[in-house]
Amino acid sequence: MYKAPFPAQLSVSDRRVIDNNATDVRVYQVWKGSNKFFLGGRVIFGPDVRSIFLTISLIVIPVLLFCAFVSRRIIYAFDNHLGKLIIFILILLTVYDLILLLLTSGRDPGIIPRNSHPPELEEDGSTMSTDWLGSQSSAAFPNLPPTKDVVVNGMIVKVKYCQTCMLYRPPRCSHCSICNNCVERFDHHCPWVGQCIGKRNYRFFFMFVSSTTILCLYVFVFSWVTMKKIMAEYDCNLWSAFLKSPVSGILILYTFMTAWFVGGLTVFHLYLICTNQTTYENFRYRYDSKRNPYNRGCVHNVWEIFLSKIPKSKSNFRAMVKVDSSSLFGSTMSLARPMSTNIRKKSFDIETGKRQAVVAEDFEDIHSQIDSVGGLERCGTQPRHIIQCENSNWEISPDISVMSAEFAMEQGFKDREKVCKKGH
């Protein structure tokens, strides 16, 4: 195994420049992912956070309609106290459901902080591909292998290297293309809650889906009870009862269709919990035909989801970090903790390397422009080039002048002008 070479150490002058231009900001202000932060980084949502308002409206509007148009008939149909208790339970279920929605959507799902540079490969017991080792034998700067093997419960599991986050993803971790983060125990990205579902919010997600199912069935049942009471009171058929209380009929149809959707999700995730799978694993690996290395029995699997302690977030979004003010949103940094001096040095070298690569390309463009003018090196020896120097105005564009100053070429251009004048 090799160890990735670290960037060269900065000189004292470079270090002073960085310290003078350093700006204190919070981690969430320079976060590389696509997340949206609120309340000073205390609340984190996905990039599609607006969809949560649609979800809230789909929950609240039917409940408001039930309370406004159906609750009166419920109170009259039952004993006064029992009817009010039914409405009170409905309101409690709705508030409980909304709290679970916010707990699911507004918390860190288990984001793994990015590395500021590729990791070092050490002898940690992991296995690398021999084909990869052979292909990298002559490389000056070898790439990291795309996968490596780790042992989970006595079984070998392949973990992938994430080019974006520059880390080997832990088992069951995957990179969400929507949030642009590696998420621990990644289940899926849910557009209804506008957030990834991972290790730190899966429990609340399941409770939200199951409570929404209960809420739908609750409204469905008592809307149907209202219709039956109307049919008995007026001795009419279902259509006539629907005309007398159209809201009850609409709620019956709406909650019936919604209950199939969220109820199906509840049953599906109950199956995943009992077998210790994620949605991503179920669709990708199909553990039905092979052994699941994470399945430790139904009881233990349920205990792990509902009764185990939720781990703390690996990212302190409100921590203070120092970044170069000239590249506030382009610097590479460690987001798990405040940036140390070594990390600032590495970040500076990485960004400097990128700028040098760009400048080198511009340097080649300068050479091509010089050649296209007529060959300055031959200006004093060949007559046809002397004529070109005489007829041309020979003005250096501002862009070329700036670039030539960076490479100490200004003096070279002046010398070439003198040669052209002497040749003339």
Side-chain angles (χ1 to χ4, degrees):
M1 294 300 101
Y2 77 95
K3 292 187 178 181
F6 287 100
Q9 297 293 325
L10 293 179
S11 63
V12 176
S13 59
D14 289 339
R15 195 177 298 112
R16 289 176 180 174
V17 170
I18 294 179
D19 292 337
N20 292 335
N21 295 333
T23 303
D24 288 334
V25 297
R26 296 193 182 275
V27 168
Y28 78 91
Q29 294 176 316
V30 289
W31 187 251
K32 298 293 185 180
S34 304
N35 303 89
K36 304 292 184 182
F37 295 87
F38 297 93
L39 301 179
R42 294 178 177 86
V43 181
I44 174 175
F45 291 94
D48 48 349
V49 61
R50 295 181 181 178
S51 61
I52 195 175
F53 295 104
L54 173 62
T55 305
I56 291 175
S57 63
L58 292 175
I59 295 172
V60 173
I61 291 177
V63 174
L64 292 177
L65 291 175
F66 185 92
C67 293
F69 299 97
V70 183
S71 60
R72 295 179 183 178
R73 294 184 179 274
I74 293 293
I75 293 175
Y76 293 148
F78 295 91
D79 179 70
N80 189 31
H81 296 290
L82 181 59
K84 291 181 179 179
L85 179 61
I86 293 173
I87 305 303
F88 180 72
I89 293 175
L90 173 64
I91 296 175
L92 281 182
L93 279 174
T94 304
V95 174
Y96 174 72
D97 197 42
L98 294 176
I99 291 175
L100 290 173
L101 172 61
L102 295 177
L103 286 175
T104 303
S105 180
R107 68 188 288 119
D108 174 12
I111 298 173
I112 298 180
R114 304 184 183 200
N115 285 334
S116 58
H117 56 82
E120 296 181 74
L121 293 183
E122 300 177 349
E123 295 295 340
D124 56 356
S126 58
T127 305
M128 300 300 171
S129 170
T130 55
D131 295 337
W132 174 84
L133 291 174
S135 64
Q136 301 297 327
S137 59
S138 61
F141 298 98
N143 295 321
L144 290 167
T147 62
K148 69 177 182 179
D149 298 335
V150 297
V151 179
V152 177
N153 295 329
M155 299 183 63
I156 296 178
V157 176
K158 288 187 178 294
V159 294
K160 295 182 179 180
Y161 178 74
C162 180
Q163 298 286 348
T164 303
C165 300
M166 291 190 288
L167 53 82
Y168 280 100
R169 303 168 189 163
R172 315 193 82 175
C173 173
S174 183
H175 190 91
C176 176
S177 59
I178 299 176
C179 292
N180 197 22
N181 295 311
C182 278
V183 179
E184 200 170 5
R185 200 186 183 278
F186 177 77
D187 190 87
H188 69 290
H189 183 94
C190 181
W192 296 102
V193 302
Q195 181 65 284
C196 286
I197 307 303
K199 188 172 185 178
R200 299 190 68 251
N201 65 347
Y202 181 79
R203 177 187 304 176
F204 300 108
F205 170 77
F206 177 80
M207 294 171 67
F208 165 70
V209 173
S210 57
S211 64
T212 304
T213 304
I214 296 173
L215 182 61
C216 287
L217 295 176
Y218 192 90
V219 175
F220 174 82
V221 168
F222 285 102
S223 296
W224 186 254
V225 168
T226 302
M227 297 292 287
K228 296 293 291 183
K229 292 291 184 180
I230 293 174
M231 292 172 62
E233 180 180 353
Y234 294 95
D235 193 18
C236 60
N237 56 22
L238 182 61
W239 178 251
S240 299
F242 173 76
L243 295 177
K244 292 182 180 297
S245 181
V247 174
S248 299
I250 292 173
L251 290 176
I252 289 174
L253 295 175
Y254 174 77
T255 53
F256 178 78
M257 292 185 296
T258 307
W260 274 105
F261 174 68
V262 293
L265 277 178
T266 302
V267 174
F268 174 67
H269 282 279
L270 270 176
Y271 162 73
L272 294 180
I273 291 172
C274 293
T275 57
N276 206 335
Q277 298 183 62
T278 64
T279 302
Y280 181 81
E281 292 169 348
N282 182 262
F283 282 92
R284 185 176 181 88
Y285 301 117
R286 293 293 181 183
Y287 285 135
D288 295 337
S289 58
K290 56 183 179 180
R291 183 184 173 188
N292 179 3
Y294 310 105
N295 189 357
R296 303 173 65 183
C298 181
V299 175
H300 192 279
N301 295 338
V302 173
W303 179 281
E304 178 182 336
I305 295 299
F306 294 108
L307 300 177
S308 63
K309 184 179 179 181
I310 297 177
K312 294 183 178 180
S313 175
K314 297 181 182 298
S315 302
N316 184 4
F317 301 108
R318 289 182 51 78
M320 301 299 296
V321 294
K322 288 185 178 295
V323 296
D324 186 0
S325 58
S326 63
S327 57
L328 182 59
F329 297 101
S331 60
T332 306
M333 65 184 64
S334 174
L335 299 176
R337 56 186 180 275
M339 183 179 292
S340 64
T341 305
N342 292 333
I343 296 178
R344 287 202 302 270
K345 294 178 183 178
K346 297 168 188 175
S347 300
F348 179 85
D349 288 335
I350 291 173
E351 295 300 324
T352 303
K354 293 179 181 178
R355 288 195 291 268
Q356 289 175 350
V358 175
V359 171
E361 294 177 0
D362 294 335
F363 182 64
E364 294 177 1
D365 293 338
I366 294 174
H367 274 294
S368 63
Q369 293 183 29
I370 294 173
D371 293 337
S372 64
V373 171
L376 297 179
E377 297 297 335
R378 297 189 299 270
C379 191
T381 58
Q382 299 184 17
R384 61 189 182 93
H385 289 166
I386 295 174
I387 296 174
Q388 290 181 1
C389 290
E390 178 182 357
N391 295 335
S392 25
N393 215 356
W394 197 250
E395 294 181 357
I396 302 176
S397 64
D399 295 335
I400 296 180
S401 179
V402 172
M403 296 301 303
S404 63
E406 188 168 357
F407 283 92
M409 292 175 59
E410 190 68 35
Q411 187 62 39
F413 278 117
K414 292 180 181 179
D415 293 340
R416 293 188 180 97
E417 289 183 20
K418 292 179 181 179
V419 172
C420 290
K421 291 179 180 179
K422 290 179 180 180
H424 176 65

